[in-house]
Amino acid sequence: MKLLLTPIVLLLFFLGYSSTPTRQITGKVISSSDGLALPAADIRSLPSKTTAKTDANGKYSIKIPITDTHIEVSFLGFQTQKVAIKKAEVINFSLADDVKALAEVSVVGYGTQRKIVTTSASQHLIAGSPGAAASYLNGRVAGLQVMNDVNNESYAKISENNFKRATDHPLSTFSIDVDAASYSNVRRYINGGNLPPKDAVRIEELINYFDYNYEQPKGDDPVNIVTEISAAPWNKAHRLVQIGLKAKNIPTEKLPSSNLVFLIDVSGSMEAPNKLPLLISSLRLLTDNLRDQDKVAIVVYAGNSGLVLPSTSGDNKQAIKEALSKLSAGGSTAGGAGIKLAYKVATDNFIKGGNNRIILATDGDFNVGASSDTDMQTLIEEKRKSGVYLTVLGFGMGNYKDSKMEVLADKGNGNYAYIDDINEARKVLINEFGGTLFTVAKDVKLQVEFNPSKVQAYRLIGYENRLLNNEDFNDDLKDAGEMGAGHTVTALYEIIPAGVESKFLKSVDALKYQKTSSSSNNTGNELLNVKMRYKQPDGDKSKLLQKAVVDNGGNLLQQASDNFKFSASVAMLGMLLRQSEFVQQGNFDTAIALAESAKGTDKEGYRAEYVKIAKSAKLLAKDLRNFANTGEGK
């Protein structure tokens, strides 16, 4: 047999047998909205399905069969584009942004599963499992095997604030929160076809994602207090109080010089396109916004930490971008070592009177060295004494550690954002450049005193992990939140007026030794008194501001400001996503209608996008109810 095959093979060779001829196609892939390169974009030629990826500069080169007719490019968060090859040797692509359609399936490590939407946990039904269920409740399916996602995302547990009687608890004290990570993370879930886990929904961060048209501070104080009262849209017998804080705007050219350290996670968990490649694109955006007097160093960490770019002037943007472009993912995650090195580099290049800040970009998956939340908290609390602030940018999904990153930003006198696409990077690092990076007031605390002759009970909506003891308000050693240039902070209190019956208030026996009369502190129409304390960015002693708030009895939501109506809508959506017991008569339709009536100018389209998100959430919630009733998703 071997003797027979050999002549045949030789005959084919001499007759000119060869494989299909090929050709080389090169090009570049960029975002149409800002012209930035898209690294790790997927390139595919058709019909052979030959594949390649773009490099860190968005360039690609692919060798394809000469019979192929089209090139197709796809990238997470952008619309897929396909073009005819014809005789071209160079084909460039400009991809438009895309909001992902609601997913019908979820691909996980052990195969494709049919998705069942829940708000208590992200869970799936295994396709083809026996015994169709007749009911679905609280993540439990009768007769079907339920499995948690293979992702390891973690969120700190939230126990919602309850109503408190004003006679028993006249003071409410908390630290402000300018973080907005929860909103973009919730958006990521909903755009992906899932309702988020309940504990991923921090209502104050949903509200504070949006800017509000509050009046600027007029005097020497960097922050102004603004208030408004109307009926609560989910219970017309209750009142809703909006307390807004507005930090002064500072033009970029007048901001102090920046000493920045990019602390970048390049561990193996960051390899996905929506992690390190998106991270690099995001920091390239920030680099373009640097001034000559600013400077940047780059520290990376994986199995070990290292300095890949010494402190470099903002006028040498090319060197900064080249250092970013050379980064690649691999190894374990020595987060603690990276943080220590970043603080050393920041303090070595400290600018007195300037903005000294570390920008930590990661999925939060620390697993080598100081890795527990407590260890990290202790480390950051010690390092912040150097005067260096910490901003945390979260990326990715699957092993996303929200709970850890929130702790880091909170204890590092900084802020925390979740970057789910390049548009969010533009919002955080360009549109809100001053607010993200330049602190104008630190350790900002609020304390509200309620008049028991007007207020039977009250509830702070959100801020559960920012609550303080009443005595902490006057304690200048107690850490609190920071406000950046131009930032707005909004807090909402739901109030049960005196004399209004409520299922949320249980009767208690009269006290024998305490005065409980609600009329003893009657101060006219004053509903409450708002007090705020803040410190200068480099100061240690706080200053007190306060404002008495009078309820003029306005009940028509239609007459309320756009600020009020929109924040109320977002609060209602947050309660619906959390399946809150306090949502009362609130519903998706009311939340959507409120927001649609309060878009205002909406220059960047964030409020219009919110309406779309709320509508998608409504559909997902409806799908969940349908499954509960029929045993199948709609």
Side-chain angles (χ1 to χ4, degrees), residues 407-420:
V407 168
L408 295 182
D410 182 21
K411 301 305 177 182
N413 279 354
N415 42 30
Y416 166 39
Y418 176 76
I419 310 295
D420 56 338

PDB file of all heavy atoms in Angstrom, residues 407-420:
ATOM      1  N   VAL A 407     -15.185  50.048  49.133  1.00  0.00           N
ATOM      2  CA  VAL A 407     -14.444  50.262  50.370  1.00  0.00           C
ATOM      3  C   VAL A 407     -13.160  51.054  50.101  1.00  0.00           C
ATOM      4  O   VAL A 407     -12.830  52.005  50.820  1.00  0.00           O
ATOM      5  CB  VAL A 407     -14.106  48.914  51.042  1.00  0.00           C
ATOM      6  CG1 VAL A 407     -13.090  49.109  52.163  1.00  0.00           C
ATOM      7  CG2 VAL A 407     -15.366  48.263  51.592  1.00  0.00           C
ATOM      8  N   LEU A 408     -12.439  50.676  49.052  1.00  0.00           N
ATOM      9  CA  LEU A 408     -11.179  51.354  48.735  1.00  0.00           C
ATOM     10  C   LEU A 408     -11.396  52.830  48.471  1.00  0.00           C
ATOM     11  O   LEU A 408     -10.677  53.690  48.998  1.00  0.00           O
ATOM     12  CB  LEU A 408     -10.521  50.695  47.521  1.00  0.00           C
ATOM     13  CG  LEU A 408     -10.045  49.248  47.687  1.00  0.00           C
ATOM     14  CD1 LEU A 408      -9.374  48.775  46.406  1.00  0.00           C
ATOM     15  CD2 LEU A 408      -9.099  49.098  48.858  1.00  0.00           C
ATOM     16  N   ALA A 409     -12.376  53.161  47.637  1.00  0.00           N
ATOM     17  CA  ALA A 409     -12.628  54.571  47.304  1.00  0.00           C
ATOM     18  C   ALA A 409     -13.105  55.345  48.523  1.00  0.00           C
ATOM     19  O   ALA A 409     -12.681  56.481  48.763  1.00  0.00           O
ATOM     20  CB  ALA A 409     -13.657  54.665  46.179  1.00  0.00           C
ATOM     21  N   ASP A 410     -13.975  54.731  49.310  1.00  0.00           N
ATOM     22  CA  ASP A 410     -14.522  55.397  50.489  1.00  0.00           C
ATOM     23  C   ASP A 410     -13.415  55.723  51.482  1.00  0.00           C
ATOM     24  O   ASP A 410     -13.309  56.855  51.978  1.00  0.00           O
ATOM     25  CB  ASP A 410     -15.581  54.489  51.129  1.00  0.00           C
ATOM     26  CG  ASP A 410     -16.231  55.125  52.346  1.00  0.00           C
ATOM     27  OD1 ASP A 410     -16.176  56.357  52.479  1.00  0.00           O
ATOM     28  OD2 ASP A 410     -16.808  54.380  53.164  1.00  0.00           O
ATOM     29  N   LYS A 411     -12.562  54.751  51.774  1.00  0.00           N
ATOM     30  CA  LYS A 411     -11.508  54.955  52.763  1.00  0.00           C
ATOM     31  C   LYS A 411     -10.321  55.738  52.206  1.00  0.00           C
ATOM     32  O   LYS A 411      -9.495  56.229  52.969  1.00  0.00           O
ATOM     33  CB  LYS A 411     -11.029  53.599  53.309  1.00  0.00           C
ATOM     34  CG  LYS A 411     -12.137  52.784  53.964  1.00  0.00           C
ATOM     35  CD  LYS A 411     -12.840  53.577  55.061  1.00  0.00           C
ATOM     36  CE  LYS A 411     -13.992  52.792  55.675  1.00  0.00           C
ATOM     37  NZ  LYS A 411     -14.714  53.577  56.707  1.00  0.00           N
ATOM     38  N   GLY A 412     -10.241  55.881  50.896  1.00  0.00           N
ATOM     39  CA  GLY A 412      -9.130  56.596  50.282  1.00  0.00           C
ATOM     40  C   GLY A 412      -9.430  58.048  49.966  1.00  0.00           C
ATOM     41  O   GLY A 412      -8.711  58.672  49.174  1.00  0.00           O
ATOM     42  N   ASN A 413     -10.505  58.599  50.565  1.00  0.00           N
ATOM     43  CA  ASN A 413     -10.898  59.996  50.306  1.00  0.00           C
ATOM     44  C   ASN A 413     -11.094  60.240  48.808  1.00  0.00           C
ATOM     45  O   ASN A 413     -10.701  61.282  48.277  1.00  0.00           O
ATOM     46  CB  ASN A 413      -9.837  60.973  50.854  1.00  0.00           C
ATOM     47  CG  ASN A 413      -9.985  61.200  52.346  1.00  0.00           C
ATOM     48  OD1 ASN A 413     -10.936  60.726  52.957  1.00  0.00           O
ATOM     49  ND2 ASN A 413      -9.041  61.911  52.927  1.00  0.00           N
ATOM     50  N   GLY A 414     -11.720  59.292  48.139  1.00  0.00           N
ATOM     51  CA  GLY A 414     -11.884  59.440  46.700  1.00  0.00           C
ATOM     52  C   GLY A 414     -13.285  59.110  46.240  1.00  0.00           C
ATOM     53  O   GLY A 414     -14.245  59.175  47.001  1.00  0.00           O
ATOM     54  N   ASN A 415     -13.406  58.732  44.976  1.00  0.00           N
ATOM     55  CA  ASN A 415     -14.701  58.387  44.396  1.00  0.00           C
ATOM     56  C   ASN A 415     -14.570  57.123  43.568  1.00  0.00           C
ATOM     57  O   ASN A 415     -13.464  56.643  43.300  1.00  0.00           O
ATOM     58  CB  ASN A 415     -15.247  59.549  43.548  1.00  0.00           C
ATOM     59  CG  ASN A 415     -14.162  60.198  42.711  1.00  0.00           C
ATOM     60  OD1 ASN A 415     -13.197  59.549  42.315  1.00  0.00           O
ATOM     61  ND2 ASN A 415     -14.290  61.484  42.437  1.00  0.00           N
ATOM     62  N   TYR A 416     -15.714  56.597  43.156  1.00  0.00           N
ATOM     63  CA  TYR A 416     -15.755  55.276  42.546  1.00  0.00           C
ATOM     64  C   TYR A 416     -16.736  55.297  41.390  1.00  0.00           C
ATOM     65  O   TYR A 416     -17.887  55.713  41.538  1.00  0.00           O
ATOM     66  CB  TYR A 416     -16.164  54.260  43.622  1.00  0.00           C
ATOM     67  CG  TYR A 416     -16.586  52.894  43.155  1.00  0.00           C
ATOM     68  CD1 TYR A 416     -15.955  52.239  42.108  1.00  0.00           C
ATOM     69  CD2 TYR A 416     -17.632  52.226  43.807  1.00  0.00           C
ATOM     70  CE1 TYR A 416     -16.349  50.985  41.707  1.00  0.00           C
ATOM     71  CE2 TYR A 416     -18.026  50.958  43.426  1.00  0.00           C
ATOM     72  CZ  TYR A 416     -17.392  50.339  42.374  1.00  0.00           C
ATOM     73  OH  TYR A 416     -17.778  49.084  41.975  1.00  0.00           O
ATOM     74  N   ALA A 417     -16.265  54.857  40.218  1.00  0.00           N
ATOM     75  CA  ALA A 417     -17.119  54.785  39.030  1.00  0.00           C
ATOM     76  C   ALA A 417     -16.943  53.422  38.372  1.00  0.00           C
ATOM     77  O   ALA A 417     -15.871  52.810  38.470  1.00  0.00           O
ATOM     78  CB  ALA A 417     -16.774  55.894  38.042  1.00  0.00           C
ATOM     79  N   TYR A 418     -17.996  52.951  37.714  1.00  0.00           N
ATOM     80  CA  TYR A 418     -17.932  51.705  36.954  1.00  0.00           C
ATOM     81  C   TYR A 418     -17.983  52.055  35.470  1.00  0.00           C
ATOM     82  O   TYR A 418     -18.901  52.742  35.014  1.00  0.00           O
ATOM     83  CB  TYR A 418     -19.092  50.773  37.324  1.00  0.00           C
ATOM     84  CG  TYR A 418     -19.131  49.518  36.489  1.00  0.00           C
ATOM     85  CD1 TYR A 418     -18.229  48.488  36.729  1.00  0.00           C
ATOM     86  CD2 TYR A 418     -20.046  49.367  35.452  1.00  0.00           C
ATOM     87  CE1 TYR A 418     -18.242  47.333  35.965  1.00  0.00           C
ATOM     88  CE2 TYR A 418     -20.072  48.216  34.681  1.00  0.00           C
ATOM     89  CZ  TYR A 418     -19.170  47.200  34.939  1.00  0.00           C
ATOM     90  OH  TYR A 418     -19.181  46.063  34.165  1.00  0.00           O
ATOM     91  N   ILE A 419     -16.982  51.602  34.724  1.00  0.00           N
ATOM     92  CA  ILE A 419     -16.879  51.915  33.295  1.00  0.00           C
ATOM     93  C   ILE A 419     -17.347  50.709  32.495  1.00  0.00           C
ATOM     94  O   ILE A 419     -16.632  49.703  32.394  1.00  0.00           O
ATOM     95  CB  ILE A 419     -15.425  52.278  32.910  1.00  0.00           C
ATOM     96  CG1 ILE A 419     -14.854  53.336  33.847  1.00  0.00           C
ATOM     97  CG2 ILE A 419     -15.365  52.727  31.452  1.00  0.00           C
ATOM     98  CD1 ILE A 419     -15.518  54.680  33.782  1.00  0.00           C
ATOM     99  N   ASP A 420     -18.546  50.793  31.937  1.00  0.00           N
ATOM    100  CA  ASP A 420     -19.072  49.670  31.165  1.00  0.00           C
ATOM    101  C   ASP A 420     -18.878  49.845  29.664  1.00  0.00           C
ATOM    102  O   ASP A 420     -19.034  48.893  28.907  1.00  0.00           O
ATOM    103  CB  ASP A 420     -20.548  49.427  31.486  1.00  0.00           C
ATOM    104  CG  ASP A 420     -21.415  50.654  31.261  1.00  0.00           C
ATOM    105  OD1 ASP A 420     -20.884  51.783  31.271  1.00  0.00           O
ATOM    106  OD2 ASP A 420     -22.646  50.492  31.087  1.00  0.00           O
TER     107      ASP A 420
END
